[in-house]
Amino acid sequence: MSVRDRLPGPVRHGRRGDSIAVEAEALGFHEVAGNDHLSTQRFVRKAWSAPPDYFEPLMMLATIAAKTSVVRLATGILVLPMREPVLLAKQVATLDQISGGRVTLAVAAGGYRDEFEAVAPDLADASRTRLMAEGIEALRILFGQRRSTYEGRYRRFCDVESYPKPVQSPLPIFSGGNATGAIRRAGSNVRVGCRPSSVRTK
C-alpha cells in the first residue's frame, strides 16, 4: 500500500505531510510519495483562481525521513527532464543516506509540456524522451562511479566526484509514463523481473 498526493483541484496538504506520513507508517503502509510540479500548469490556472501549493517532493521527503524509520520515501514521480542530473544525484543520494536507504526513485517525462517549457525555456525544442534517457544514464554514472563524466546531446558534466553515494547500491531507477515509448523505456531499464510478451512497446 502507498500514500500519494493525488488530491483533485488546488488543495494540497504539504504543511501536514509529515504527520500524514507518520500515521501511514504506524498503519503499516509500505511507502509515501509525492508528485513533482515546479510550476502551475495552464489548465490549473484556468480552472482555479488561487494557485496550489506544490511542495518540492525531495524537501518534503527529507522532512518525513527525520520523523519516520521504516516507511519508504518515493517520488511518484520526479519529472526528470526538468531536473539537472548532478544536483539531482546529490539530492537523492543525500536523502537515501539520511533515511537509511529508504528512497524509491521513480521518474518520468512529465505530463505537461507547458510546465516543462516554462521551467526550461532553453530546452523548449528538446525531446523530453531523449532528456529522460540521458537523465537516467547520467544518474547511474553519478551513483556508480567515483569520478563521473558524461557527454549527451543535452546533458553534460566533466570529472564530477559526488559523495556520498546512495546507501542502496545500485539504487533502482523506476521509469514510468503513458506516452509512446514509455513502456519500451521502462522495459529497457529492467534489470530483474519479467517482460510479458503481451505488452505492446510501439
Side-chain angles (χ1 to χ4, degrees):
M1 293 188 295
S2 66
V3 175
R4 294 177 181 270
D5 179 14
R6 289 285 184 260
L7 300 174
V11 179
R12 292 292 183 268
H13 296 295
R15 291 184 184 87
R16 61 186 183 91
D18 53 347
S19 61
I20 293 172
V22 168
E23 184 174 358
E25 181 175 77
L27 291 171
F29 280 81
H30 174 68
E31 72 176 21
V32 293
N35 58 15
D36 186 25
H37 293 294
L38 301 183
S39 179
T40 307
Q41 311 91 322
R42 288 193 193 109
F43 86 93
V44 173
R45 296 180 190 186
K46 291 177 180 177
W48 290 278
S49 58
D53 289 332
Y54 287 141
F55 286 77
E56 202 286 319
L58 296 173
M59 292 288 289
M60 284 301 306
L61 292 174
T63 302
I64 291 167
K67 300 183 178 183
T68 58
S69 58
V70 176
V71 70
R72 290 196 64 82
L73 311 169
T75 58
I77 49 70
L78 273 187
V79 181
L80 192 52
M82 294 196 300
R83 300 279 180 161
E84 193 282 318
V86 174
L87 175 58
L88 178 60
K90 175 70 75 172
Q91 292 170 316
V92 172
T94 299
L95 181 59
D96 204 49
Q97 283 282 340
I98 66 174
S99 68
R102 289 188 282 144
V103 171
T104 298
L105 178 60
V107 297
Y112 306 101
R113 182 85 196 187
D114 62 297
E115 181 183 9
F116 167 71
E117 291 180 356
V119 171
D122 290 343
L123 295 172
D125 296 328
S127 162
R128 288 185 293 166
T129 299
R130 184 61 202 162
L131 280 164
M132 272 287 294
E134 290 188 8
I136 292 171
E137 290 169 359
L139 286 173
R140 285 188 171 151
I141 289 170
L142 288 158
F143 289 153
Q145 296 182 8
R146 176 169 180 169
R147 293 167 63 175
S148 307
T149 296
Y150 182 77
E151 181 75 24
R153 180 174 179 182
Y154 303 113
R155 304 299 192 191
R156 301 175 188 84
F157 48 87
C158 181
D159 197 26
V160 173
E161 189 172 64
S162 181
Y163 278 80
K165 301 298 187 188
V167 172
Q168 300 172 84
S169 180
L171 189 145
I173 302 173
F174 297 91
S175 175
N178 58 11
T180 302
I183 294 176
R184 180 183 298 278
R185 183 172 59 246
S188 71
N189 287 300
V190 169
R191 293 184 176 177
V192 178
C194 63
R195 299 181 186 181
S197 59
S198 60
V199 173
R200 296 183 180 180
T201 58
K202 295 184 179 179

